[in-house]
Amino acid sequence: MDPDQRRGASGLSEFELIRRYFDRGPRRALLGVGDDCALLRPNAGFELAVTTDMLIEGRHFAADAAPRSLGHKSLAVNLSDLAAIGAAPRWALLAIGLPAADPAWLEQFSAGLFALAERFGVELVGGDTTRAPLITVSIVALGEVPADVALYRSAAKPGDDIWVSGELGGAALALQRPQIPEAARRLHEPEPRVELGERLRGLAHAAIDVSDGLVGDLRHILERSQVGANVEYARVPRLGAFATLGDAALERDCVLSGGDDYELLFTAPAARRPAIDALARELGLPLTRIGSIAAGKPELVVRDARGEPMACRGGFDHFGSGA
Ligand code: ADP
Ligand code: MG
């Protein structure tokens, strides 16, 4: 940030802001917030998983979005990516652009971010802070996964079952029906499936997190793995609120094509069914078998309760027609 921009209307300088809201002291990192770089030492025999996701005001959230939820979600979407590859989250960097240094906003934002970080032992080791016309939050998250067991999108095999965690459609429903609390929670405070991702090592073949919608994200697995898939729509687990809404078209759209749920979608050989069912009970998280992987072209067929193929939108694309 330019020196003349460093002190905002609140009287808070850039460095005071960083120290007050984003520096919680070093723990495991060799060097964290306050130096030119963070210094990290991954455990011997582990691979480093690195991901980044950006949230921009007006695109991903409204200007008046609750800052505590935004702090949570900014980190949650990144931890979800780490979970989807089977990595344990360790460190994060936060690049943040703000129109103003508002202490009340920063207090809430950092509280939401650190509450999630501390639950999963994630250490904030650096970042960048700048004035910007719109609130912009970009986090880099780093995790560790033992060598050779990461869950690649390209690892699905014909005959695999297709599984999904939790319930789908809630976040998309919240955009249409913001007054339904259980839907709003899915949109604003998604739960990254961190433990599940780690436990799927050695059990699952391929995995991805559902950020752009079931259909779109499953297609990423199919393209990468060069396989086809059959999904039974009736089996896809969905938010309970749909049962009372009685809007079949809205439900189909949210459940199959709605993004932002951050559940894990994964494939596994049929021999693993008992182990996956046991894992679901242990984690207290529903894991539901919704279809199977087939040999052949990367085509997805979703069938309705009568066995008829259904038309469905392909998932969210920022530069496609849906954007
Ligand atoms: P530099 O000039 O080297 O880029 P900065 O002045 O941008 O350093 O940042 C000072 C220190 O504070 C660095 O260690 C940086 O990683 C850290 N930092 C800056 N912004 C944030 C933030 N929003 N959250 C966490 N750490 C931050
Ligand atoms: Mg900097």
Side-chain angles (χ1 to χ4, degrees), residues 224-299:
R224 286 277 175 163
S225 302
Q226 287 298 300
V227 291
N230 294 290
V231 164
E232 289 176 56
Y233 174 63
R235 298 184 78 126
V236 181
R238 61 205 71 186
L239 200 74
F242 287 112
T244 51
L245 276 177
D247 184 334
L250 175 69
E251 181 170 337
R252 183 192 56 216
D253 220 41
C254 291
V255 170
L256 292 180
S257 312
D260 256 9
D261 282 316
Y262 301 100
E263 294 296 345
L264 293 188
L265 176 67
F266 57 96
T267 82
R272 301 272 157 75
R273 286 178 193 175
I276 293 170
D277 288 333
L279 179 60
R281 285 191 296 276
E282 188 189 327
L283 297 178
L285 174 66
L287 300 176
T288 309
R289 204 151 41 81
I290 63 170
S292 57
I293 296 292
K297 286 206 282 289
E299 283 169 359

Side-chain angles (χ1 to χ4, degrees), residues 29-41 91-93 123-127 142:
L30 303 177
L31 201 49
V33 173
D35 214 306
D36 296 314
C37 293
L39 280 180
L40 312 173
R41 183 181 288 152
W91 303 286
L93 295 110
E123 192 175 350
L124 188 67
V125 291
L142 299 101

Side-chain angles (χ1 to χ4, degrees), residues 104-187:
W105 193 95
L106 282 158
E107 186 69 52
Q108 288 297 308
F109 177 87
S110 63
L113 188 146
F114 279 107
L116 182 64
E118 281 161 17
R119 265 174 61 208
F120 292 115
V122 175
E123 192 175 350
L124 188 67
V125 291
D128 199 22
T129 304
T130 181
R131 198 180 288 271
L134 297 172
I135 301 171
T136 307
V137 184
S138 175
I139 288 184
V140 173
L142 299 101
E144 290 180 305
V145 55
D148 304 320
V149 298
L151 305 169
Y152 289 45
R153 292 182 181 183
S154 56
K157 299 275 178 298
D160 277 2
D161 295 320
I162 302 170
W163 297 79
V164 70
S165 67
E167 296 167 336
L168 296 182
L173 179 62
L175 295 175
Q176 307 293 327
R177 303 278 195 280
Q179 72 281 9
I180 300 175
E182 60 168 331
R185 215 173 317 116
R186 303 303 166 104
L187 178 64

